[in-house]
Amino acid sequence: MSTPAGLCAQIVAPYPPAGGISIASQSGNFVSSFLNWSTVTGVGVARAVSAGNAASLGVADYLEYYADDASSRVGLAYVEGITDGRAFADRVRAVTARMPVVLVKGGSTDGGAHAAASHTGALAANDKVFDGVCRQIGATRASTVEEAFEAAATFVTQPLPAGPNVVVMTTAGGWGVIAADAITRDRHLVLMPLPPDLVEIIDAFLPPRWSRANPVDLAGGETRDTIPDVLARLASHRDVHSILYLGLGIQANQARLMRAGQFFPDHGIGRVVDYHERQDARFAQAAHDVSAATGKPILTATELAVADPTNAGPRTVRATGRVCYGSADRAVTALGHLYRYSEYLRRRGLA
């Protein structure tokens, strides 16, 4: 499959939007799975090839090709077995010096290894060894197909963070707590304490009851411009490297409830509904624009990305070309992958 060439010769796959993800897989159906994820998220694909049992060309061959391909910005691969581990590692290491590579491996358990042997004849590698090799060569290893696609989509749509410090901005306290747990569990990300000068800046935009801590709980004190204003101040601070924004879509979800009521659109309710939907669209656009202006990743997460993809918030995130993650945990997982690859490049003088 090649969107630059307008070609789709995989009979079970949808034709995805064009973009920068290029796929190599030892399973044709996983090519289809990745293309389905591309279609639903709007994050596009450049090329996709099923290598099958790799009798002639293997996953590493296609990844090397993608590294030389102007349309490809990240490699995404499903592998089951590796016949020459050192050669595979050396070749993928050369690719990760030039572009991110996300790997999801089948046959990582005894049960999966037996299934892989009957599927492609693959001899499964020791999983702990494979995991360690991925870290050494700068490849991002994902546990699931969903995680793999979201990692690749994050690489292709977000800037790399300059450091580990994450600030969570949330419109509800509970979501912030869960996000703080996820960041703290990550091996490398840091839930940074808010420095006094940043607290003073944010004080000007929030009511006195706000958390004055990370997560930044807006305390229900949002006015028309609070979210764009606070996002911009957080991202502009020198110590903040990444932001996780939780709560997008709440106003548009309220608008959906009002639309279903018996009094809509009379009694001014139509105007209220329009305002709420415009607000969430503005907030999603602001997350993209502030990220682009500051060069810092800003990831948005809400279950409405899955529960109601037509909600103005998630819909606008997709329109900006980025991923709206279905939960804070998924966003933190993607951000962790983004940071570790950024650090890999810096340690090797490649950033």
Side-chain angles (χ1 to χ4, degrees):
M1 194 289 306
S2 172
T3 53
L7 169 70
C8 186
Q10 169 137 326
I11 60 173
V12 297
Y15 190 71
I21 299 174
S22 285
I23 299 161
S25 174
Q26 286 186 286
S27 164
N29 278 323
F30 273 129
V31 172
S32 178
S33 295
F34 289 135
L35 300 188
N36 282 323
W37 279 110
S38 171
T39 301
V40 74
T41 63
V43 180
V45 171
R47 323 235 184 228
V49 177
S50 173
N53 63 7
S56 177
L57 294 174
V59 167
D61 295 295
Y62 294 112
L63 292 175
E64 287 175 333
Y65 170 77
Y66 297 153
D68 289 326
D69 174 36
S71 298
S72 302
R73 294 173 52 203
V74 57
L76 172 58
Y78 169 77
V79 295
E80 285 186 0
I82 300 165
T83 56
D84 187 339
R86 182 171 293 279
F88 181 85
D90 289 343
R91 295 172 74 184
V92 174
R93 181 187 286 112
V95 175
T96 61
R98 303 168 62 191
M99 68 187 297
V101 172
V102 180
L103 301 176
V104 60
K105 186 180 179 300
S108 60
T109 65
D110 289 342
H114 287 302
S118 65
H119 178 218
T120 60
L123 296 175
N126 181 284
D127 195 59
K128 290 182 179 179
V129 172
F130 184 80
D131 203 47
V133 168
C134 285
R135 290 195 297 270
Q136 290 177 9
I137 65 177
T140 295
R141 187 182 181 187
S143 299
T144 66
V145 173
E146 176 184 74
E147 179 187 335
F149 184 84
E150 287 189 346
T154 304
F155 279 123
V156 85
T157 59
Q158 294 278 357
L160 293 177
N165 293 343
V166 185
V167 170
V168 178
M169 188 188 79
T170 179
T171 60
W175 293 334
V177 173
I178 292 298
D181 282 339
I183 293 167
T184 304
R185 282 193 298 265
D186 186 271
R187 294 173 297 159
H188 300 103
L189 297 177
V190 175
L191 185 71
M192 64 167 281
L194 294 187
D197 63 326
L198 185 53
V199 172
E200 184 177 354
I201 291 169
I202 302 305
D203 263 338
F205 297 93
L206 295 179
R209 64 181 181 276
W210 81 279
S211 61
R212 287 187 172 77
N214 187 14
V216 176
D217 184 350
L218 302 184
E222 303 98 298
T223 60
R224 181 181 183 276
D225 296 316
T226 301
I227 287 175
D229 285 343
V230 173
L231 268 179
R233 271 62 181 189
L234 291 172
S236 297
H237 195 276
R238 62 190 176 279
D239 294 339
V240 177
H241 302 135
S242 305
I243 296 173
L244 178 58
Y245 166 30
L246 308 177
L248 180 68
I250 288 178
Q251 293 196 36
N253 205 34
Q254 183 69 18
R256 182 187 184 191
L257 178 65
M258 292 180 180
R259 282 184 182 277
Q262 61 178 316
F263 299 112
F264 176 83
D266 300 328
H267 313 290
I269 295 175
R271 292 194 303 274
V272 174
V273 165
D274 290 343
Y275 173 77
H276 283 327
E277 291 173 342
R278 286 197 308 271
Q279 282 292 87
D280 270 320
R282 286 182 64 235
F283 300 159
Q285 188 65 50
H288 170 274
D289 293 348
V290 171
S291 174
T294 60
K296 297 179 180 181
I298 298 178
L299 282 65
T300 59
T302 171
E303 73 280 1
L304 291 165
V306 178
D308 183 13
T310 64
N311 180 287
R315 187 180 70 235
T316 304
V317 174
R318 292 194 303 274
T320 68
R322 297 193 175 193
V323 180
C324 190
Y325 303 86
S327 70
D329 292 278
R330 285 164 61 175
V332 170
T333 297
L335 181 58
H337 290 317
L338 199 70
Y339 172 66
R340 281 183 282 279
Y341 179 66
S342 180
E343 275 299 288
Y344 174 83
L345 294 179
R346 271 193 288 274
R347 287 197 306 268
R348 283 152 183 78
L350 300 171

